[in-house]
Amino acid sequence: MRLRPLTALARKAPPWGVAGRAPTDWRPRALRVRCASAAKQQGPLLVSPSGAPLTSSTSADGGPDLELSPENAAQVLQSGNPFLLLVGELDKQVTKKVAGLRKAAQGRLPLVRLNCSALPQVCEALQIVSSPTLLLMAKGQAVAALEQMSPQTATAFVENVAQMLGLKVDLAEAVTEQLQDAELQEWKDLPSAEQSFGSVLSRSDLPNDARVRALAGRARCLLRRREPTAAQQSKVMLEELQAAGHGGVPEVKQAVAMLWIDQKQQELGETNLQTLKAAWEANPTDFAAVQAYAVSIFWAHGEAEAFEAGLQLLRRKRSDEARQLVLSLVEALGPSHPRSAPARRSFSNALFI
């Protein structure tokens, strides 16, 4: 998106770009004094050309919220203070990242909501064509934009804005959230998950526990590629992690379980899922048929089906083989999967009840 200043809606002023520096304040000295006084007293509030704070509501995430309207649009958009301009609604993960940014600003980064139906001329001037969109505004110009919503782009936006405004966002918390996002993404969006794990590993100040967790995530992503070369790379990485004493880390245990499932699947002569499913349905107490179906459907986004097939067998036959299969399927879900806790309870009940 090409960003441009809102010259039609705000008092004409030199644009404040990402790479440039703030222009000389064009307001009369008396007005600057009144605005500075209001900002000092009110802190986070936007001020109008008259120097009076604009009405807003206080948000729990670190500053005031304001609804842009035809009555206050010109006043808000020509404010000399930076603010966030939001079209639409952010999802929970992105909202949390933005809240961290606003918290770091200590109430001095307001969130202004824009309805394109009410103010189409503003959205047209800013070339906003999708919802949600989040912009950092300063003196009538958008200087940073978040349009393609994902945990990775949201993290990049927050870090960029923090650098521009001289804010310090808690990087340790950001890394933890980025890892959590990647661990959920790997089940449905492998390229994005690989990018996230790589981004975490590229940090120079990465804590060791986060590094181990990210390496385990990368190893799992290699297995998910379903390529022999990638699987061998994953095996080497996991052996190194285990040799370094990290075998008990839940995310490493998850990757090791997935490697076991991969190896069992590679040993099969038959890989057609429909054939394997038919054989399992015909004889659900036959260990070979159950394992063949479970370790194959797991890689076809059927981790829940794989676990249920193994669990049914374990409830009927409490053999060591069945126990190992179900344990591996449970561990392969990892701590972040929504089915992980229920699966562990079911596994425990099948063994002892």
Side-chain angles (χ1 to χ4, degrees), residues 23-353:
T24 302
D25 197 330
W26 68 93
R27 296 171 296 179
R29 185 177 183 280
L31 175 57
R32 293 202 302 270
V33 171
R34 289 199 301 271
C35 289
S37 177
K40 183 177 181 181
Q41 295 174 9
Q42 299 294 334
L45 299 184
L46 295 171
V47 288
S48 70
S50 66
L54 294 170
T55 302
S56 64
S57 61
T58 300
S59 172
D61 58 8
D65 286 1
L66 179 69
E67 189 76 27
L68 202 66
S69 67
E71 292 75 25
N72 67 16
Q75 296 175 339
V76 172
L77 293 170
Q78 70 181 350
S79 170
N81 299 324
F83 62 90
L84 296 172
L85 184 67
L86 173 62
V87 175
E89 295 295 332
L90 303 175
D91 65 27
K92 184 177 180 180
Q93 292 178 336
V94 177
T95 296
K96 191 172 182 179
K97 295 178 186 296
V98 174
L101 173 66
R102 298 183 68 199
K103 181 180 179 181
Q106 298 181 347
R108 291 170 295 184
L109 188 60
L111 178 68
V112 178
R113 298 180 179 274
L114 168 61
N115 185 336
C116 286
S117 297
L119 292 168
Q121 68 274 29
V122 177
C123 293
E124 181 180 356
L126 289 171
Q127 299 183 352
I128 297 174
V129 296
S130 62
S131 178
T133 292
L134 182 65
L135 305 176
L136 173 66
M137 299 293 298
K139 295 190 176 180
Q141 185 177 2
V143 294
L146 173 61
E147 295 176 291
Q148 302 298 326
M149 297 292 169
S150 72
Q152 297 94 333
T153 58
T155 298
F157 175 83
V158 167
E159 291 179 341
N160 182 33
V161 171
Q163 183 178 10
M164 292 167 62
L165 300 181
L167 303 176
K168 187 175 182 180
V169 181
D170 189 345
L171 292 179
E173 182 179 354
V175 167
T176 299
E177 291 181 359
Q178 194 170 1
L179 284 170
Q180 290 173 343
D181 293 339
E183 288 160 358
L184 291 175
Q185 282 181 321
E186 67 178 85
W187 294 97
K188 54 186 178 181
D189 188 353
L190 182 58
S192 294
E194 289 185 304
Q195 181 181 353
S196 291
F197 287 127
S199 175
V200 170
L201 289 168
S202 68
R203 293 178 179 269
S204 59
D205 58 346
L206 187 65
N208 188 58
D209 56 344
R211 184 186 66 83
V212 170
R213 190 170 163 184
L215 286 171
R218 175 175 282 179
R220 295 193 302 272
C221 288
L222 287 169
L223 289 171
R224 293 183 190 279
R225 291 185 187 179
R226 313 308 301 135
E227 299 171 357
T229 302
Q232 182 59 33
Q233 292 175 345
S234 176
K235 183 175 182 292
V236 172
M237 290 178 63
L238 292 174
E239 288 174 348
E240 292 175 351
L241 286 171
Q242 289 176 307
H246 303 302
V249 176
E251 291 79 11
V252 176
K253 292 172 68 175
Q254 178 187 4
V256 171
M258 289 175 61
L259 178 62
W260 184 90
I261 294 172
D262 172 74
Q263 291 172 338
K264 294 301 179 182
Q265 199 269 337
Q266 296 300 326
E267 294 172 1
L268 296 177
E270 178 60 65
T271 57
N272 183 277
L273 271 178
Q274 294 302 320
T275 302
L276 294 173
K277 184 177 181 179
W280 163 63
E281 291 175 336
N283 195 352
T285 60
D286 179 69
F287 173 76
V290 174
Q291 177 170 277
Y293 174 65
V295 300
S296 298
I297 193 65
F298 178 89
W299 300 109
H301 304 286
E303 64 275 7
E305 293 88 337
F307 170 75
E308 290 299 332
L311 185 65
Q312 290 178 24
L313 174 66
L314 183 62
R315 284 170 173 167
R316 297 177 181 181
K317 292 185 176 181
R318 295 183 181 179
S319 66
D320 290 340
E321 289 180 324
R323 178 185 174 279
Q324 177 60 51
L325 172 62
V326 179
L327 176 62
S328 297
L329 292 169
V330 171
E331 294 285 4
L333 293 176
S336 300
H337 196 287
R339 290 290 302 274
S340 179
R344 288 187 179 278
R345 288 194 297 269
S346 297
F347 176 50
S348 178
N349 290 339
L351 288 176
F352 301 111
I353 297 179

